[in-house]
Amino acid sequence: MLYIVGLGLADERDITVKGLEAVKSSERVYLESYTSILMVDKERLEEFYGKEVIIAYRETVESFSDEILKDADKVNVSFLVVGDPYGATTHTDLVIRAHELGVPVKTIHNASIMNAIGATGLQLYTFGQTISMVFFTDSWRPDSFYDRVKENSAIGLHTLCLLDIKVREQSIENMMRNRLIYEPPRFMTVNEAVEQLLEVEEKRQEGAYTENTLAVGVSRIGSDDQVIKAGTLRQLLTVDFGKPLHSLVLVGRRLHELEAEILRENAVDREGLDLVLLRDYGIGKQ
């Protein structure tokens, strides 16, 4: 059996009982390490699981899946994914390859940012399309996400923005020279995401959002030191959200009074937030 096991959001204890049983029954255990990270290292996982954990980099999964699936029709193999296996990132390619080889697959789900973002107080029913934001470079500043935000905004829905991580990435020069030298890990912050959002709005000028748009920045959701801060995009530019991982929500106009109350509790500036709620959402005292 190939088990695809969601690990949850924070540390080694977030795995489900069913997931832990699968891991303990497996001859080999792989940890997918390029779409997200836990807040603990693999040694903590190994101690808790009682199993060696093999790091699976992007090239391992995409180019050497047969290595992961070797003998999985005879023994159990676990493939661990931070969050939920089919949350922010799917691994259907590995599932398809397993089916081609006659390997049975069982998925064990867990919490991911896609549902844990409800910790902001915003109702999951009123979220629209999720977008991914990548690091801008001098020569590459993609803005295709803007159209999705604009569509969400037009019908008043919230937008969850997933922020880029760079793990085991090569520079263009090292790739061209075929040198296996990797750049230090990078994790996009809420502040960087806001800067890029405002840059794209300045270029597009189609009104999907402005610097006065209400937003919620979060970091380390699901951990004991998670941070949730609500304010305008301009206000969030200077908030220190601390260590990775960060995410951002653009608040839609279908905001309910109960959602607004939770935003007040997490406000960067309570008085300023009340003014925004009254001005843009009609929530509050006239």
Side-chain angles (χ1 to χ4, degrees), residues 34-103:
Y34 58 90
T35 59
S36 190
I37 60 166
L38 283 180
M39 299 170 203
V40 295
D41 56 29
K42 83 180 187 78
E43 285 73 25
R44 284 269 295 271
L45 300 183
E46 289 175 332
E47 182 179 356
F48 191 75
Y49 300 158
K51 290 281 184 175
E52 178 188 3
V53 174
I54 304 165
I55 299 296
Y57 299 110
R58 183 185 298 274
E59 58 266 31
T60 306
V61 179
E62 294 181 352
S63 302
F64 301 100
S65 60
D66 286 358
E67 180 180 320
I68 295 173
L69 297 171
K70 181 181 179 182
D71 296 329
D73 56 336
K74 304 180 184 68
V75 299
N76 290 339
V77 175
S78 284
F79 183 76
L80 312 181
V81 181
V82 176
D84 184 85
Y86 305 118
T89 301
T90 64
H91 288 285
T92 51
D93 52 342
L94 187 62
V95 173
I96 291 170
R97 183 59 182 144
H99 289 163
E100 290 174 347
L101 294 174
V103 173

Side-chain angles (χ1 to χ4, degrees), residues 3-8 12-26 28-29 48-49 51 76-81 85 106-110:
Y3 289 105
I4 302 183
V5 182
L7 295 184
E12 73 279 9
R13 297 169 298 165
D14 285 346
I15 193 171
T16 64
V17 172
K18 188 180 292 185
L20 185 59
E21 290 174 346
V23 169
K24 288 185 175 296
S25 75
S26 294
R28 298 191 309 280
V29 179
F48 191 75
Y49 300 158
K51 290 281 184 175
N76 290 339
V77 175
S78 284
F79 183 76
L80 312 181
V81 181
K106 184 172 184 179
T107 301
I108 300 174
H109 295 281
N110 209 320

Side-chain angles (χ1 to χ4, degrees), residues 213-236:
T213 291
L214 189 59
V216 186
V218 304
S219 59
R220 300 177 304 286
I221 285 291
S223 72
D224 294 335
D225 64 344
Q226 70 178 21
V227 175
I228 303 173
K229 292 293 181 182
T232 64
L233 287 175
R234 179 172 55 193
Q235 289 174 326
L236 295 185

Side-chain angles (χ1 to χ4, degrees), residues 114-170:
M114 302 292 284
N115 53 32
I117 199 63
T120 59
L122 299 173
Q123 297 171 2
L124 297 180
Y125 290 119
T126 47
F127 275 78
Q129 302 166 90
T130 297
I131 67 167
S132 296
M133 298 189 62
V134 300
F135 282 110
F136 284 177
T137 68
D138 291 340
S139 59
W140 190 54
R141 308 178 91 75
D143 64 358
S144 58
F145 66 81
Y146 185 88
D147 297 315
R148 307 288 81 76
V149 178
K150 187 178 178 182
E151 290 167 358
N152 289 345
S153 178
I155 53 177
L157 299 180
H158 312 312
T159 301
L160 171 60
C161 310
L162 303 179
L163 309 188
D164 199 7
I165 73 171
K166 298 289 188 186
V167 179
R168 199 176 162 85
E169 297 279 337
Q170 292 175 277

